[in-house]
Amino acid sequence: MNKNIYKLGILALALSMMMAIISACGSTTNSNGGSASPGGAGETGGGDAAAVTAGIVLLDLKNPFYVRMQTAGTQAGKDYGVKTIWQSADGSLEKQISIVENFIEQKVDVILIDPQDAKGIIPAIDKATSAGIPVITMGNKVEGNGNYNTLYPDYENESVVARIMGTALDGQGEIGLLTGNAGNYVSDNREKGFMDTMTKEFPNIKVTAQPTNWDPAQAQRISETWLNNSKLDAIAFINDPLGLAAKGSADAKGAKLLYAGYDGDVEMHDMINSGEMLVDVLTGAERVGYWNVAAAARIAKGSEMPIDLFMPTYFVMSDETAAMLKDKGLEIEYITPEKAVEVGKDYSNELGPDQPDERISGEK
């Protein structure tokens, strides 16, 4: 009798253990402690809550644009159940390569890179993809071994920015253009879009372009030199923090200039509303950060994405500037700074895990 009871007890224990194992296989737990059913990530990016780690290397983490990227990208990680590790290359290709190699050794699930040099970073990308780690190059078209590219219509946008500035100046004057650094896809394409349009459509406007390495301090020094040695009418910049530095130099000298920029930072809204800043292009630092991490999460969890992903952008102007341009024969589709604030802060709804993959990839 005692032996039978003992055998029944062993059998019950074994059945209990089997049920526990089956139950554990039926659901996964996300990084926030919740549970989710497996298998749905390929459709919406919100189903597979398995632990995913994203290694992210930016050009630097001092520029306000990148700080905002990190803040919203970290929120995207929380929304998508992804651990984000942020590193700064401090403007160095060598350091950027070293960080990527460290991510490979750590066996992260996906790597995001804001390339210092679109060609120089390729060996590190190839090493990562060969190790089975998907790579996303942010804001760059990089011809690596199967990496994804998150892009903006930079050439087209800067062509419009140049057209706006040239029209506002009535085709006459002198412009300083603050760029990033040669070899960076974003910088090169924004510069080319601006310069090609000015050369073709406004041949009587002189444009002097100067790289800043994305550093506002360098932008300030360059602007001071321009103001000391020429009669500038306007300064255009391919990154809003560079423009704030340029305006600081101009204000210190009492110079009244026109401005045009890119990124859509809220700090530029007073300048837009006053009319001294003609136009800004809204990508939105927060939107960019959230969007990239959202794409990384979906790719790491198995979603099929195109190699090139595109983010929608917006021209931001005041109604008064838009009316002035229209009087001069140029009509632009735009949003006001007030609307831009709404768009720039709505990234969790616009790009969150409940949205379809097409919202992230830009596919129609």
Side-chain angles (χ1 to χ4, degrees):
M1 185 70 175
N2 290 338
K3 289 182 178 180
N4 289 335
I5 292 173
Y6 177 75
K7 289 179 179 179
L8 288 171
I10 293 296
L11 179 60
L13 178 61
L15 288 171
S16 177
M17 292 176 65
M18 289 176 65
M19 291 300 292
I21 291 170
I22 291 170
S23 176
C25 292
S27 65
T28 57
T29 301
N30 65 27
S31 62
N32 296 321
S35 63
S37 299
E43 297 178 1
T44 67
D48 186 359
V52 170
T53 298
I56 307 162
V57 54
L58 299 179
L59 295 180
D60 71 66
L61 283 171
K62 297 177 182 177
N63 187 308
F65 185 88
Y66 298 121
V67 173
R68 289 175 176 147
M69 273 188 68
Q70 181 182 9
T71 299
T74 300
Q75 181 60 52
K78 293 177 181 178
D79 291 349
Y80 278 87
V82 172
K83 177 182 178 182
T84 55
I85 302 173
W86 299 81
Q87 297 288 334
S88 172
D90 297 327
S92 166
L93 174 61
E94 291 74 18
K95 184 173 181 180
Q96 193 165 68
I97 291 171
S98 177
I99 291 170
V100 173
E101 291 175 343
N102 286 338
F103 284 151
I104 296 170
E105 291 179 7
Q106 294 171 33
K107 297 182 179 180
V108 301
D109 298 288
V110 60
I111 296 174
L112 297 98
I113 308 169
D114 189 9
Q116 178 72 27
D117 186 298
K119 293 182 179 179
I121 197 63
I122 288 177
I125 291 173
D126 291 349
K127 187 174 181 179
T129 55
S130 295
I133 302 173
V135 175
I136 298 171
T137 48
M138 299 182 286
N140 272 270
K141 177 66 174 176
V142 180
E143 303 292 348
N145 182 22
N147 58 286
Y148 299 86
N149 304 284
T150 52
L151 304 169
Y152 327 106
D154 286 321
Y155 182 94
E156 295 83 358
N157 284 346
E158 276 297 337
S159 178
V160 174
V161 169
R163 191 169 295 116
I164 289 170
M165 184 165 271
T167 300
L169 292 174
D170 296 319
Q172 302 288 332
E174 186 168 345
I175 299 172
L177 174 63
L178 295 167
T179 68
N181 61 281
N184 179 276
Y185 181 89
V186 168
S187 180
D188 289 348
N189 275 276
R190 292 180 186 178
E191 178 181 359
K192 183 171 174 56
F194 191 92
M195 296 297 290
D196 284 356
T197 301
M198 278 294 175
T199 299
K200 181 179 179 180
E201 300 182 18
F202 305 98
N204 293 326
I205 293 180
K206 177 183 177 182
V207 182
T208 302
Q210 186 73 36
T212 65
N213 202 33
W214 305 94
D215 182 359
Q218 287 195 37
Q220 184 173 13
R221 290 192 292 269
I222 291 166
S223 300
E224 289 173 353
T225 300
W226 283 340
L227 292 165
N228 287 334
N229 295 285
S230 61
K231 294 183 178 180
L232 282 183
D233 298 287
I235 294 179
F237 36 91
I238 65 166
N239 172 270
D240 280 344
L242 305 179
L244 286 175
K247 177 172 166 52
S249 295
D251 287 350
K253 293 183 175 295
K256 300 297 183 182
L257 306 176
L258 292 177
Y259 300 91
Y262 208 116
D263 285 339
D265 288 354
V266 294
E267 287 85 355
M268 318 309 288
H269 289 181
D270 286 345
M271 295 170 62
I272 294 172
N273 285 323
S274 72
E276 62 182 331
M277 186 165 179
L278 298 168
V279 64
D280 205 1
V281 179
L282 174 64
T283 54
E286 290 94 344
R287 289 178 76 236
V288 169
Y290 194 100
W291 175 55
N292 276 283
V293 173
R298 291 170 187 250
I299 289 168
K301 293 180 180 184
S303 290
E304 293 187 5
M305 294 280 191
I307 291 297
D308 293 337
L309 295 80
F310 289 91
M311 167 179 270
T313 58
Y314 306 86
F315 295 106
V316 184
M317 295 192 299
S318 69
D319 291 331
E320 292 75 14
T321 296
M324 176 271 293
L325 293 171
K326 186 175 181 180
D327 288 343
K328 293 175 180 285
L330 181 62
E331 194 163 358
I332 300 293
E333 185 175 345
Y334 71 101
I335 60 175
T336 64
E338 292 74 23
K339 180 62 176 179
V341 171
E342 296 177 18
V343 173
K345 294 295 184 182
D346 197 40
Y347 46 80
S348 287
N349 290 322
E350 180 187 9
L351 306 166
D354 292 335
Q355 297 294 339
D357 284 343
E358 290 76 15
R359 181 69 62 86
I360 305 300
S361 67
E363 293 177 299
K364 302 296 184 183

